[in-house]
């Protein structure tokens, strides 16, 4: 019971003023990045379908919440579903290595779903709720991955972060909070993740349904609905929950420089490093060889025909990186618009697994890219990690540049800059201002 009391007390008693400066800064970074990824995602077919689905089939009979980068609303569970799906539709959002998945994609939509209708809610309330969601969901994800044999989607555990946020904002008592977490764990979509990776489609990482399950769980618990004890509060080690408020798991999140699967990003960075270091002209590239850890070798090798395939590809983003020294989101969204040089490199690329790199996964994710040139030279990057991990974080300037590149095509330069400034000092504004700025 001590673990349950600890979790419930953390969910309800944490205050904005209790948060260390570095935790608040990270929460703002997460908020900025998630909103930017949502803007990029709003241009995908997946997001458009889900937003229309939510507005049509989850229309609000009572409280309503806004859809990101859309003028429509839906019920709080429907808005959480649509907004999490929008973030998940462009694979550029934050994550945690040991969770092998994504927290913020569900936690931010859940927070907005509940706070959108609270006229007195401030940006400080939003940040504190976000931190609660990140801390609960990350621990749930680590626990589930440590105890489950299958590799499951993020919705299986980020639903608990969404439920924790809902329990906090709704003011549930201790017993109802535990029911909320138990319902979320029971109903969270524990989907076979490799099915989405090896045959990419619009189901993605199930964070949309994780957010929906968590928001619904809190609303049901508020009405007296009961659930089983949330077993993830005990597994694999109950002591892992007792450091709530002293160890901040939100500081362990990574940020992606590029909108593709994190498993591909070490190889992407390696390709950029090698062509940049030797100033390689794309026309001089004969072929590329990628050496990486086993899960990354299972990403799509063939040329993608959809954005979902492009996001869960290895060959495509590595070839893009070798040609453009970048992985532009607009080309990931429309792989049919990419030039012949990328097509040629994908066709000539070979991928091989390194037992040493596999053994280091998931704590370390490294890859090596070897470029064979038409003049006979062979250039190697050496083992490379991607930027954005806690040990090599993206700078604020890099995150803001990523945000601008994602938001400006949707809102225009003026509104994008105003939104970036609003997030920078979000505590000084009502949540309603943030919601309106993303419509």
């Amino acid at each position: 019971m001590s673990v349950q009391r600890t979790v419930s007390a953390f969910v309800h008693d944490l205050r904005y003023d209790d948060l260390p400066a570095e935790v608040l800064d990270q929460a703002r970074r997460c908020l900025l990045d998630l909103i930017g990824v949502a803007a990029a995602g709003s241009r995908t077919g997946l997001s458009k379908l889900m937003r229309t689905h939510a507005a049509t089939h989850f229309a609000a009979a009572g409280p309503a919440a806004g859809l990101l980068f859309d003028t429509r609303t839906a019920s709080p569970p429907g808005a959480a579903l649509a907004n999490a799906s929008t973030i998940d539709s462009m694979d550029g959002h934050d994550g945690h290595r040991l969770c092998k998945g994504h927290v913020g994609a569900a936690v931010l939509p859940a927070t907005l779903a509940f706070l959108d209708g609270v006229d007195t809610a401030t940006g400080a309330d939003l940040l504190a709720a976000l931190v609660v969601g990140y801390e609960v969901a990350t621990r749930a994800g680590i626990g589930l991955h440590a105890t489950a044999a299958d590799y499951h989607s993020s919705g299986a555990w980020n639903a608990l972060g969404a439920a924790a946020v809902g329990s906090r904002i709704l003011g549930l008592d201790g017993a109802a909070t535990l029911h909320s977490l138990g319902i979320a764990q029971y109903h969270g979509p524990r989907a076979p993740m490799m099915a989405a990776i090896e045959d990419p489609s619009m189901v993605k990482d199930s964070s949309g349904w994780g957010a929906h399950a968590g928001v619904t769980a809190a609303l049901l618990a508020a009405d007296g609905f009961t659930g089983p004890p949330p077993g993830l509060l005990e597994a694999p080690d109950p002591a892992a929950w007792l450091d709530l408020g002293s160890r901040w798991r939100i500081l362990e999140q990574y940020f992606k420089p590029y909108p593709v699967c994190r498993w591909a990003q070490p190889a992407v960075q390696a390709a950029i490093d090698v062509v940049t270091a030797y100033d390689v002209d794309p026309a001089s590239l004969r072929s590329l060889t990628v050496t990486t850890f086993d899960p990354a070798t299972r990403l799509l090798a063939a040329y993608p025909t959809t954005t979902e395939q492009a996001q869960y590809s290895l060959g495509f983003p590595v070839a893009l990186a070798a040609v453009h020294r970048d992985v532009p989101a607009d080309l990931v969204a429309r792989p049919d618009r990419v030039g012949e040089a990328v097509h040629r490199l994908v066709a000539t690329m070979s991928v091989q697994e390194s037992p040493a790199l596999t053994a280091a996964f998931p704590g370390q994710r490294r890859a090596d890219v070897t470029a064979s040139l038409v003049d006979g030279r062979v250039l190697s990057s050496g083992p490379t990690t991607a930027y954005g991990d806690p040990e090599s974080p993206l700078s604020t300037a890099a995150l803001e540049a990523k945000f601008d590149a994602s938001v400006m095509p949707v809102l225009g330069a003026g509104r994008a800059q105003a939104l970036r400034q609003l997030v920078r000092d979000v505590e000084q504004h009502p949540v309603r201002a943030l919601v309106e700025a993303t419509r």
Side-chain angles (χ1 to χ4, degrees), residues 133 136-137 140 155-165 181-182 184-185 210 214 230 232-233 241:
V136 170
W157 48 267
N158 63 24
L160 278 78
V165 165
L181 295 173
Q185 180 176 325
L232 287 176
L233 271 58
W241 290 87

Side-chain angles (χ1 to χ4, degrees), residues 78-163:
L81 168 65
N83 290 337
S85 297
T86 291
I87 294 171
D88 207 19
S89 70
M90 183 58 70
D91 204 354
H93 43 305
D94 61 23
H96 192 280
R97 286 177 296 196
L98 297 182
C99 292
K100 295 191 283 187
H102 309 284
V103 180
V107 167
L108 175 59
T111 304
L112 292 175
F114 284 109
L115 288 182
D116 191 350
V118 181
D119 292 336
T120 59
T122 67
D125 298 323
L126 171 65
L127 292 184
L130 273 182
V131 172
V132 165
Y134 268 88
E135 296 303 314
V136 170
T138 303
R139 286 168 174 78
I142 293 172
L144 188 53
H145 276 291
T147 54
D150 59 312
Y151 175 31
H152 44 268
S153 61
S154 296
W157 48 267
N158 63 24
L160 278 78

Side-chain angles (χ1 to χ4, degrees), residues 219-300:
L219 291 170
L220 285 171
D223 288 338
F225 196 92
T226 62
L232 287 176
L233 271 58
E234 304 291 338
D237 178 11
W241 290 87
L242 298 179
D243 61 4
L244 281 165
S246 59
R247 178 175 184 173
W248 300 100
R249 293 285 190 176
I250 192 172
L251 298 176
E252 301 168 3
Q253 306 299 313
Y254 61 73
F255 295 93
K256 293 183 179 182
Y258 314 110
V260 294
C261 179
R262 189 63 176 174
W263 296 352
Q265 302 219 7
V268 167
Q269 191 61 55
I272 292 174
D273 287 353
V274 74
V275 300
T276 301
Y278 296 96
D279 196 22
V280 176
D281 185 334
S284 69
L285 287 166
R286 173 177 290 158
S287 64
L288 298 172
T289 299
V290 178
T291 303
T292 187
F293 49 92
D294 176 72
T297 68
R298 299 165 70 180
L299 294 168
L300 185 72

Side-chain angles (χ1 to χ4, degrees), residues 47-89:
S47 171
K48 293 173 184 176
L49 286 170
M50 271 303 212
R51 282 181 280 137
T52 296
H53 179 82
T56 302
H57 300 290
F58 289 93
L67 305 185
L68 291 170
F69 301 100
D70 197 308
T71 59
R72 293 170 291 183
T73 63
S75 66
L81 168 65
N83 290 337
S85 297
T86 291
I87 294 171
D88 207 19
S89 70

Side-chain angles (χ1 to χ4, degrees), residues 140-231:
I142 293 172
L144 188 53
H145 276 291
T147 54
D150 59 312
Y151 175 31
H152 44 268
S153 61
S154 296
W157 48 267
N158 63 24
L160 278 78
V165 165
S167 300
R168 174 186 176 89
I169 297 170
L170 293 174
L172 304 188
D173 63 23
T177 295
L178 294 173
H179 284 302
S180 173
L181 295 173
I183 297 165
Q185 180 176 325
Y186 192 85
H187 286 157
R190 187 167 166 175
M193 193 61 213
M194 290 310 300
I197 292 172
E198 294 177 336
D199 191 8
S201 67
M202 290 184 179
V203 297
K204 299 301 289 291
D205 200 20
S206 81
S207 288
W209 292 106
H212 182 276
V215 169
T216 301
L219 291 170
L220 285 171
D223 288 338
F225 196 92
T226 62

